[in-house]
């Protein structure tokens, strides 16, 4: 019986080849988009974690300054002025944001080192330590610290140290105990209290803004202590945080 030859395998037509190339391109594009999305998500998570770390550092710095404000080593001694809120505190002072200035008596300077000036018993003397918080032109929440033996003898040791980057707004309200029952009865703007010695707490509102445009441009509005803040139409992410602080130094 004669031997039959097997048919040869047919090749790809031009149309089939074009379809195959198109499907390959679509798959590669999808893979690239998936990789880019994963990288963007990773960068976003890293930025959020870094932002939270810087926010905790800034919040802790304000907490340390505010909680000890008004402290006196000798409350019965009139020579130790117990003013907790500095007169330079104000609303819309710099770049449409507020400034917070607090004072305390401390035997440690702005660098948290003991005062080299010693009293008759060989202990570090208590000097006034004044801390100021406000914004600069680079959207940093900054800290300035002065230290000295009297309000007129303060020396600047830290000048506008950057605490938190990407801050678009910083606004404050002050809690006043009107009837001396150790409870806050009303919240007021800087200087609008009836008695500075009755200020028991502070509310601070901060608006954080991202560096890059990642969303559709739309106006964002945030309720902050004592005011409303409107962000720009630039597609950058914004996040509002409110922090509360108690002035515990006066009760010591």
């Amino acid at each position: 019986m004669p031997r039959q030859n097997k048919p040869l395998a047919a090749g790809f037509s031009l149309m089939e080849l074009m379809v195959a190339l198109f499907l390959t391109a679509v798959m590669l594009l999808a893979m690239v988009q998936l990789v880019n999305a994963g990288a963007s998500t990773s960068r976003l998570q890293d930025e959020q974690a870094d932002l939270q770390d810087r926010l905790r550092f800034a919040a802790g710095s304000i907490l340390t300054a505010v909680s000890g404000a008004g402290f006196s080593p000798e409350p019965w001694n009139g020579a130790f002025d117990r003013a907790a809120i500095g007169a330079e505190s104000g609303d819309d002072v710099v770049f449409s944001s507020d400034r917070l200035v607090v004072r305390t008596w401390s035997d440690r300077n702005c660098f948290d080192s003991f005062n080299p000036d010693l009293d008759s018993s060989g202990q570090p003397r208590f000097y006034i330590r004044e801390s100021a918080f406000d914004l600069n032109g680079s959207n940093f929440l900054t800290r300035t610290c002065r230290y000295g033996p009297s309000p007129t003898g303060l020396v600047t040791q830290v000048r506008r140290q950057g605490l938190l980057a990407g801050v678009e707004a910083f606004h404050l309200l002050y809690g006043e105990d009107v009837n001396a029952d150790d409870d806050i009865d009303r919240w007021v703007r800087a200087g609008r209290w009836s008695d500075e010695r009755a200020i028991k707490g502070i509310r601070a509102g901060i608006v954080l803004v991202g560096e890059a445009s990642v969303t559709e441009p739309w106006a964002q509005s945030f309720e902050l202590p004592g005011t409303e803040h409107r962000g720009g139409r630039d597609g950058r992410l914004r996040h509002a945080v409110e922090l509360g602080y108690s002035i515990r130094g006066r009760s010591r």
Side-chain angles (χ1 to χ4, degrees):
M1 184 173 181
R3 189 176 175 184
Q4 296 181 350
N5 293 328
K6 296 181 178 179
L8 296 176
F12 290 106
S13 68
L14 180 60
M15 181 61 68
E16 290 173 332
L17 184 59
M18 291 179 63
V19 170
L21 290 175
F22 174 75
L23 293 176
T24 301
V26 171
M27 292 178 61
L28 289 175
L29 180 60
M31 292 178 62
V32 170
Q33 290 178 336
L34 182 61
V35 171
N36 288 338
S40 298
T41 300
S42 178
R43 287 195 299 269
L44 178 60
Q45 291 175 341
D46 290 342
E47 289 179 2
Q48 289 175 336
D50 180 63
L51 181 61
Q52 289 299 321
D53 288 340
R54 286 185 281 121
L55 179 59
R56 280 192 291 268
F57 175 73
S61 298
I62 299 175
L63 173 62
T64 299
V66 173
S67 63
F71 170 75
S72 168
E74 299 177 5
W76 60 88
N77 189 344
F80 291 96
D81 180 11
R82 299 201 66 182
I85 311 299
E88 296 82 3
S89 296
D91 303 328
D92 297 331
V93 176
V94 286
F95 304 105
S96 299
S97 291
D98 299 346
R99 175 184 291 136
L100 170 65
V101 181
V102 291
R103 285 183 175 180
T104 187
W105 288 90
S106 178
D107 56 357
R108 294 175 180 267
N109 62 20
C110 296
F111 305 107
D112 208 30
S113 299
F114 281 113
N115 189 353
D117 186 9
L118 307 179
D119 60 20
S120 58
S121 62
Q123 298 299 314
R125 292 184 183 277
F126 280 81
Y127 280 4
I128 295 175
R129 185 171 65 194
E130 179 187 87
S131 298
F133 301 90
D134 58 22
L135 300 189
N136 64 15
S138 300
N139 281 0
F140 268 86
L141 177 64
T142 71
R143 168 182 174 256
T144 297
C145 184
R146 301 194 299 166
Y147 190 69
S150 66
T152 58
L154 297 176
V155 176
T156 300
Q157 296 182 331
V158 176
R159 186 181 299 276
R160 307 203 84 178
Q161 171 195 20
L163 296 177
L164 180 61
V167 179
E168 190 172 71
F170 177 60
H171 290 281
L172 304 155
L173 284 179
Y174 301 81
E176 184 176 9
D177 175 17
V178 177
N179 54 16
D181 62 354
D182 288 329
D183 289 327
I184 293 175
D185 301 301
R186 64 172 185 162
W187 293 92
V188 297
R189 305 293 292 270
R192 299 183 184 179
W193 47 73
S194 55
D195 186 353
E196 186 276 335
R197 294 171 297 179
I199 300 300
K200 301 293 185 181
I202 294 175
R203 289 165 55 195
I206 298 174
V207 174
L208 305 172
V209 59
E211 295 184 358
S213 296
V214 294
T215 64
E216 291 295 326
W218 60 287
Q220 295 172 284
S221 180
F222 302 95
E223 291 293 333
L224 297 180
T227 188
E228 180 182 19
H229 176 76
R230 296 183 63 84
R233 295 176 177 268
D234 52 17
R236 294 191 292 173
L237 289 177
R238 287 172 171 80
H239 181 57
V241 179
E242 183 169 330
L243 307 170
Y245 301 98
S246 174
I247 300 178
R248 300 192 299 268
R250 282 179 161 152
S251 62
R252 298 177 185 177

